[in-house]
Amino acid sequence: MGAFAADTTDLHVHSTVSDGTVAPGALLHEAAAAGLTTIALTDHDSTAGWAEAAAEVEASGVTLIPGMELSARVEYTSVHLLAYLIDPAHPGLAAETERIRESRHGRAAEIVRRIERDYPLTWDDVLLHVAEGATIGRPHIADALVARGLAADRGAAFEGILHPSSGYVYGHYAPTPPDAVRLIREAGGVPVLAHPGTRGIDRVIPEDRLRRLVDAGLFGLEINHPENLDETKPRLHVLAAKYGLRVTGSSDYHGAGKVNRLGECRTSDEVLAEILRQGTGTAPIRPGAGARSA
Ligand code: AMP
Ligand code: FE
Ligand code: FE
Ligand code: ZN
């Protein structure tokens, strides 16, 4: 299922509520300008941007799919699960995301303590780049490094001081991928494995691990993503067909924080419709809906 000209849905977008640089409400207007009719707001481990985004649905004419990108991990490897239409008040999911956000906070502070032994960087520098209540991550540390002249941009920071081999960086708490998938389904959401081909053909998810995610309720694979390597896509399509997984496409837009352009990868109307059928934790927010029900 490729991106047809008619496809106007981008299901993976970040705001200032996590590591994007555009506020949730402004994203809806950027989406309209990009010719999109539907976007999912998928901040890392947070639903805090939903209300502000929803408030701009009417003015922008863009439908909002409330979502999240839930962190998971397998040993030292971080794995991301997109979660659409989850109940934001589900106690298990709310507790887990709070635990992840707290671990991210302590981890970011410790990474900065390690960096500041060698470079002129302080925790206050980093906090300047984190919006109130936002989920913190390495991109915020990168922004502080850029402001201090220690990196040219986020990408350069990730290639240098924030590279896993630098010795400064380590992972935060996150559930296992099968537990993350189960939790998303329990919260009424639709789970999709995010950017499964960014690490190359040798590091595509092993089939036995994928089978465990399918058993836990995985809906789909985000095969059409700007950072998935082309060499991985035939294999990912074979796995999707074998296990009945749907294929999504999304940009993973982070505003000025990444080169990814809003809407550069898209999801078909058919797959969007299936997500809307399966998601029961919350409803999409459509322009005109308020006027009809009034
Ligand atoms: P963390 O949440 O601390 O594990 O950091 C991971 C985040 O950093 C991801 O959500 C990406 O959006 C971002 N990221 C990873 N690599 C890069 C890069 N080269 N340039 C900009 N952002 C990046
Ligand atoms: Fe991110
Ligand atoms: Fe991700
Ligand atoms: Zn993302």
Side-chain angles (χ1 to χ4, degrees):
M1 201 68 50
F4 299 104
D7 296 339
T8 53
T9 298
D10 186 338
L11 290 180
H12 188 163
V13 177
H14 293 270
S15 78
T16 47
V17 162
S18 62
D19 55 4
T21 64
V22 179
L27 279 174
L28 274 282
H29 296 280
E30 283 198 20
L36 297 169
T37 59
T38 303
I39 65 167
L41 181 65
T42 54
D43 277 305
H44 297 285
D45 308 308
S46 177
T47 61
W50 289 8
E52 187 190 320
E56 296 306 318
V57 162
E58 204 56 55
S60 65
V62 172
T63 294
L64 174 68
I65 310 287
M68 185 171 75
E69 187 173 12
L70 179 61
S71 300
R73 69 184 278 183
V74 182
E75 293 167 1
Y76 295 103
T77 302
S78 117
V79 175
H80 288 169
L81 273 311
L82 293 160
Y84 302 113
L85 301 168
I86 38 169
D87 173 4
H90 182 273
L93 184 61
E96 192 67 356
T97 52
E98 190 180 335
R99 183 175 175 191
I100 296 168
R101 289 194 307 270
E102 274 175 17
S103 173
R104 282 174 161 282
H105 194 91
R107 170 241 201 183
E110 172 59 21
I111 290 173
V112 171
R113 276 193 291 274
R114 294 176 180 186
I115 293 173
E116 73 182 343
R117 290 180 201 136
D118 299 328
Y119 297 94
L121 181 82
T122 68
W123 183 235
D124 282 343
D125 290 340
V126 174
L127 292 181
L128 285 176
H129 300 276
V130 189
E132 170 105 40
T135 304
I136 195 167
R138 279 174 290 166
H140 302 103
I141 303 174
D143 289 345
L145 290 169
V146 172
R148 281 278 186 173
L150 295 167
D153 55 24
R154 277 189 185 182
F158 272 90
E159 288 307 307
I161 295 173
L162 295 177
H163 195 272
S165 69
S166 69
Y168 301 115
V169 169
Y170 67 102
H172 53 79
Y173 164 78
T176 67
D179 282 348
V181 167
R182 267 187 291 275
L183 195 51
I184 291 165
R185 284 290 188 185
E186 280 167 24
V190 182
V192 171
L193 185 61
H195 42 71
T198 56
R199 296 184 169 105
I201 187 65
D202 295 336
R203 295 191 61 199
V204 165
I205 184 168
E207 197 161 343
D208 60 323
R209 285 214 168 130
L210 181 65
R211 203 177 298 120
R212 269 177 264 156
L213 297 189
V214 171
D215 290 345
L218 188 67
F219 171 82
L221 300 178
E222 189 189 44
I223 299 183
N224 193 12
H225 180 287
E227 291 152 76
N228 284 337
L229 300 175
D230 283 339
E231 64 181 19
T232 67
K233 292 182 184 175
R235 171 74 183 151
L236 289 167
H237 280 289
V238 165
L239 289 170
K242 181 166 175 185
Y243 291 101
L245 295 167
R246 310 310 294 265
V247 174
T248 68
S250 308
S251 70
D252 206 355
Y253 182 58
H254 282 67
K258 264 188 162 183
V259 296
N260 311 30
R261 300 325 311 160
L262 188 59
E264 71 171 291
C265 293
R266 300 175 180 203
T267 294
S268 74
D269 294 344
E270 185 208 343
V271 171
L272 173 63
E274 189 56 32
I275 289 171
L276 292 171
R277 268 192 292 276
Q278 291 192 21
T280 58
T282 195
I285 297 137
R286 296 187 167 93
R292 269 203 299 279
S293 64

